[in-house]
């Protein structure tokens, strides 16, 4: 069972992202503040949940959270500042939209930088330990998956309906056959250049 949040002295927001390891599409980041009595037996690290349960939880979280926000950082912005900084930027933008504002941030992972003047703690695998981080992981993942399904209708050759922009064999073969789209991250060119050696 997940602990509700990392600390209880200050109003806390859990933060997480989805899509860092993709070849295409934005990285999505979410920040969630849960009520202190929140509990749902389905809630876990989004990567450990089925798509159906993630979608169920998204509706519950968006309805019952004290505050929540999701931000997307585009492929072009990722190429400009790199994927790690884009993840930090997305989380900072999501936190800045929260009302009421949090007094503390619980960040999934081992690194974070922000211009926000809010104390924070980085927690490795925090999305499997704290409910507010897990809730943020669910929102980031479901919002990003929804976005990639919409892009798939425009670019069906790449299999984004299923692979969501991750570097699957199908996706890599489609890049080799069809080239890049405006939604591909050019900073992953070193991977794309090696496609012919990947099979």
């Amino acid at each position: 069972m997940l602990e509700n949040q990392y600390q209880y002295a200050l109003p806390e927001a859990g933060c997480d992202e989805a899509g860092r390891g993709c070849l295409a599409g934005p990285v999505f980041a979410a920040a969630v503040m849960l009520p202190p009595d929140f509990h749902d037996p389905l809630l876990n690290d989004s990567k450990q949940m089925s798509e159906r349960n993630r979608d169920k939880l998204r509706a519950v979280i968006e309805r019952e959270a004290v505050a929540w926000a999701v931000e997307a950082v585009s492929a072009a912005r990722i190429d400009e500042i790199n994927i790690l900084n884009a993840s930090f930027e997305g989380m900072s933008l999501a936190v800045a939209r929260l009302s009421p504002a949090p007094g503390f941030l619980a960040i999934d992972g081992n690194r974070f930088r922000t211009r926000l003047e809010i104390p924070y703690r980085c927690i490795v695998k925090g999305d499997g330990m704290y409910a507010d981080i897990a809730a943020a992981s669910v929102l980031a993942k479901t919002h990003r998956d929804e976005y990639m399904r919409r892009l798939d209708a425009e670019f069906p050759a790449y299999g984004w309906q299923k692979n969501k922009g991750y570097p699957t064999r199908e996706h890599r073969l489609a890049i080799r056959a069809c080239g890049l789209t405006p939604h591909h991250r050019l900073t992953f060119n070193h991977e794309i250049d090696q496609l012919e050696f990947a099979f």
Side-chain angles (χ1 to χ4, degrees), residues 139-160:
L139 292 195
K141 173 69 172 162
T142 54
H143 279 258
R144 188 179 190 281
D145 285 358
E146 181 180 64
Y147 180 88
M148 294 306 295
R149 285 193 294 269
R150 290 200 304 269
L151 281 188
D152 180 77
E154 189 178 351
F155 299 94
Y158 299 88
W160 293 340

Side-chain angles (χ1 to χ4, degrees), residues 1-2 37-45 48-49 53 56-57 60 64 131 134:
M1 181 174 168
L2 302 178
D37 60 348
F38 181 88
H39 173 70
D40 193 295
L42 293 178
L43 184 59
N44 197 356
D45 169 7
Q48 305 301 319
M49 298 171 62
N53 283 345
K56 282 184 182 177
L57 257 298
V60 172
E64 297 188 16

Side-chain angles (χ1 to χ4, degrees), residues 17-24 27 83 144 165-167 185 188 191:
E17 51 71 31
R20 268 180 64 172
C22 294
L23 298 179
V27 63
I83 185 60
R144 188 179 190 281
Y166 283 90
R185 304 172 186 177
F188 284 110
E191 291 189 36

Side-chain angles (χ1 to χ4, degrees), residues 56-167:
K56 282 184 182 177
L57 257 298
R58 171 179 167 175
V60 172
I61 294 162
E62 292 180 356
R63 182 177 67 246
E64 297 188 16
V66 173
W68 65 271
V70 178
E71 285 284 340
V73 180
S74 71
R77 181 64 172 161
I78 291 168
D79 289 338
E80 182 181 346
I81 64 174
N82 80 44
I83 185 60
L84 185 62
N85 287 325
S87 299
F88 298 159
E89 181 173 281
M91 285 191 274
S92 295
L93 289 169
V95 169
R97 287 180 47 213
L98 294 176
S99 181
F104 187 87
L105 306 179
I107 309 292
D108 185 62
N110 62 357
R111 285 188 287 178
F112 183 57
R113 285 191 300 274
T114 185
R115 294 180 180 177
L116 300 172
E117 295 183 356
I118 303 173
Y120 64 85
R121 178 66 181 263
C122 295
I123 306 160
V124 175
K125 299 184 179 178
D127 50 2
M129 300 165 64
Y130 299 102
D132 55 359
I133 302 178
S137 79
V138 168
L139 292 195
K141 173 69 172 162
T142 54
H143 279 258
R144 188 179 190 281
D145 285 358
E146 181 180 64
Y147 180 88
M148 294 306 295
R149 285 193 294 269
R150 290 200 304 269
L151 281 188
D152 180 77
E154 189 178 351
F155 299 94
Y158 299 88
W160 293 340
Q161 175 78 18
K162 286 196 267 185
N163 65 50
K164 308 301 190 296
Y166 283 90

